[in-house]
Every structure is written in C-alpha cells, then in structure tokens.
Amino acid sequence: MYHGSPLLLTLLGPLTVRRIEGQPDHLLCSLVFVIADVVSAMLICAAGEKLKVAYISSLQSLGLHNLTENSEFLPSGDFAALVYLWNPFTIVACVGLSTSAIENLMVVLSLYGACSRLAPLAAFGWVMATHLSLYPAILIIPVILLLGYGPDAPPRKLFCQRKNLEGGNSIPSDSCSEEEAKNQLKVANVFSWRPVVLFLFWALLWSSYVLVLCGIYVQQYGGLQELFKRTYGFILTIQDLSPNIGVLWYFFAEVFDFFRNFFLIVFHGNILLMIAPLALRLNHRPCFLAFVYIVISSMLKSYPSVGDSALYLGLLGLFAYELKDMQFSFFLFSGYIGVSLLSPVMHNLWIWRGTGNANFYFATAIAYVCLQIILVVESVSAMLNHDRKLTKLYTAKLQNIKS
C-alpha cells in the first residue's frame, strides 16, 4: 500500500490517525502540507531576489546599464512565490494530502542553498528530494553549476570578450563601479571548486545518515534491499497502472509484456539523454536549467501529480523578465485551464459513471503532456533569444567603442 520513504511515513503516519476533538479529520497532516507550501514560497521568493541582484550586477559589469535603467525589472521572487502559492495545482495537491508538497520543499531548498552557495543546505535538500522521489537526482548538475559559477548570468563569452578588451585597454574606465565590474568578470569566468567539493562531502554525509535511519526503521521488514525494491524499484518498473495525469499507465497497459523492459529503458533513458545537451547549452543559466529538468521529469516520470506542475510553474515566475517575449503564452494558459477542467470530468465519466472509456481520460493526459512539451520548447527558445539579444547589444557597444 505504501511505496514511499519510511522517514516520511514516520513523520506523517501518526498525524493521519491522531484526531483533535471537534476538528476535521487529518487536520494536523493538512497543516504540515500547508506549512511546507508556505516555506517553499518563501524560499522561492528569496532565491528570486538573489537571482535578480546577481543578474543586474552582471549586466552592469558588461556596461549594459541601459537595460537596468530604462526597463523595469519585475520583482521575480515575489511574483514566483505568488504563482506557487495561489496556483490551483498547489491548492489541489494540498487539499488532496499529496506528499508532493514535501518533495517540492526539498527541491526548492536545494536550489535556494545552491543560489546562496550554502553547500550543506543544498546537499541536504538534494539528498532528501532524491530519497523521496528519485527523479530530482538529475538536479545535481544545475546545483553544481550554481555552486561553481553562481546564479544565472548572460553568456560567459561576453565576459571573456570584455576581459580581453580590458587587457588591451580598449575600454575606458567608468568611475567607482570599475572595480566592481572587474570583480564580477573574475567571478563569472572562474569555476569555484571549493563549494562543489563541500557539496559532495555533505551529500555523502547526508546520504549515509538517511540510509542508516532507513536501515534501522526497515530492519524487521527485509532491510534496505527490500526498501529499494519497494520504492525505487516500484518507480522504475511502473508496476501500478492506476490512471493518473501522465501517459505511461495507458501505454504499459496496452504494450505486450515481451516489449515491456525495452520501453521501460526507452522512457527512462529519454530523461537521461536530454541532460548533457541542455547542460552544455544552458550552463550559464543553472537555475533555468533546473527548471527545464523539472519539467522534463514531470512529463516522463512514472507517477506524476499536479504537485509537479505546481513546482515548475512557480519556478517559471523567476524568469518573468527573460521570458517576457515567449510565444504561445496565451495558448499555454488556456490549455492548462482547459485540461484542469476537463480532466476530472473525463475521469468521472469513465471511472464513476461508466458512460465513457479510457480514451476519454487519456485524451486529456495527452493534451497535458503536449502542453508541457510546448512549454519546455518555447521557454528554452525564449531564453536563448534573450541571450542573443544581449550578445547583439554588447557587440554593438564594442563596435561603437572601437570606432
């Protein structure tokens, strides 16, 4: 009946059976999820402020002051926190007592720790997120990039060009901000190994601690081997084909058993195949890279939930300025509303009333996955276009200086 973390069961299990006289059932458990969502929103807000300050500093170090002065930067942290808190998906997941609120908190905690270059905090969030749902393991790449290079910045080649020109004394000094610009140039181009090594050390330490606690808890139930089989094995083999908002349940209900292992490798391999190309292309924007990884894993994970969508839609608000020219925004907004309304209707027609079949509900699941694909493609395209715009502006400025 339960295929999750025994540590989470230790925390939430007693709260599901404890009652307060005169209060609704599961009140204490609901409060835990509400607190988790509120803390996640606060961490998203704090991470957004750090990203905003770092990005404005990067633009000023490149001499693109007009972008910071003539255009109004949205308070992306506040905006992202509000999107996460008031997102209908967040509310539905909380009302449904889904543990995705705890998983989202651990993911956000890891990203916040990486943005702040707090290696122990980032390692704790990453280890716990991976322990709870396995798929956040791929976030180790953006976390390491955040710790090594710092928050998102314009393409690194622009800093290299400015550094080379400064070496040739082709750029005049600006007054008191010149020293800050030079420091920013050094930081943007140098990968700091110390926080990364600390992160790996703390990740190993937290992992050992979690395994010891789990081993003690499940010692009388078969040990760690049985734990891995019932949790991560359950995720990777997709044993439960109950209908959900994903598409894998329908596919594996229809596929022949002879080909099952092959398609398991294909679907899980799809996530792994996208890691390296995206990391190479978006290495200067590690926080946005983490957002892309989360959307991709939400599409292809074995047992998706609306809580996964709540997380990446909240993180999407962190890049409101960079993605302001993203195409199909209204189409995506309308599509998410349509799927949110039609999905419970089709599920009711099929499961409860018996007047439909699986295709009714599966159609909404396909539409939902297609919307996520469009969101990934258009957001990455918009971010790359934004980087090209910065490159053109900086190149034009260099030509004016040389002339």
Side-chain angles (χ1 to χ4, degrees), residues 312-331:
Y312 68 69
L313 289 176
L315 294 178
L316 181 65
L318 294 175
F319 315 102
Y321 173 74
E322 293 88 343
L323 303 181
K324 61 183 180 180
D325 296 326
M326 188 176 76
Q327 297 182 349
F328 305 113
S329 301
F330 181 74
F331 173 77

Side-chain angles (χ1 to χ4, degrees), residues 249-250 254 346 350 356-366:
W249 63 271
Y250 186 90
E254 298 293 333
M346 296 303 178
W350 174 34
N357 55 42
N359 293 325
F360 282 56
Y361 183 70
F362 183 60
T364 60
I366 291 179

Side-chain angles (χ1 to χ4, degrees), residues 228-250:
F228 293 147
K229 178 181 176 182
R230 299 296 181 184
T231 54
Y232 306 134
F234 186 78
I235 292 173
L236 295 175
T237 56
I238 316 181
Q239 300 174 17
D240 186 4
L241 300 181
S242 300
N244 53 55
I245 60 174
V247 295
L248 298 188
W249 63 271
Y250 186 90

Side-chain angles (χ1 to χ4, degrees), residues 20 290 304 329 341 366 369:
I20 299 178
S329 301
L341 296 176
I366 291 179
V369 171

Side-chain angles (χ1 to χ4, degrees), residues 274-348:
M274 299 182 198
I275 292 177
L278 288 170
L280 291 173
R281 190 64 183 88
L282 297 172
N283 62 83
H284 60 290
R285 295 190 179 274
C287 201
F288 181 74
L289 179 64
F291 157 76
V292 175
Y293 282 175
I294 291 172
V295 182
I296 292 175
S297 62
S298 299
M299 281 191 296
L300 297 174
K301 70 190 307 184
S302 304
Y303 311 107
S305 71
V306 292
D308 303 321
S309 302
L311 176 60
Y312 68 69
L313 289 176
L315 294 178
L316 181 65
L318 294 175
F319 315 102
Y321 173 74
E322 293 88 343
L323 303 181
K324 61 183 180 180
D325 296 326
M326 188 176 76
Q327 297 182 349
F328 305 113
S329 301
F330 181 74
F331 173 77
L332 288 170
F333 179 74
S334 303
Y336 272 99
I337 292 178
V339 169
S340 302
L341 296 176
L342 285 177
S343 185
V345 173
M346 296 303 178
H347 188 273
N348 180 268

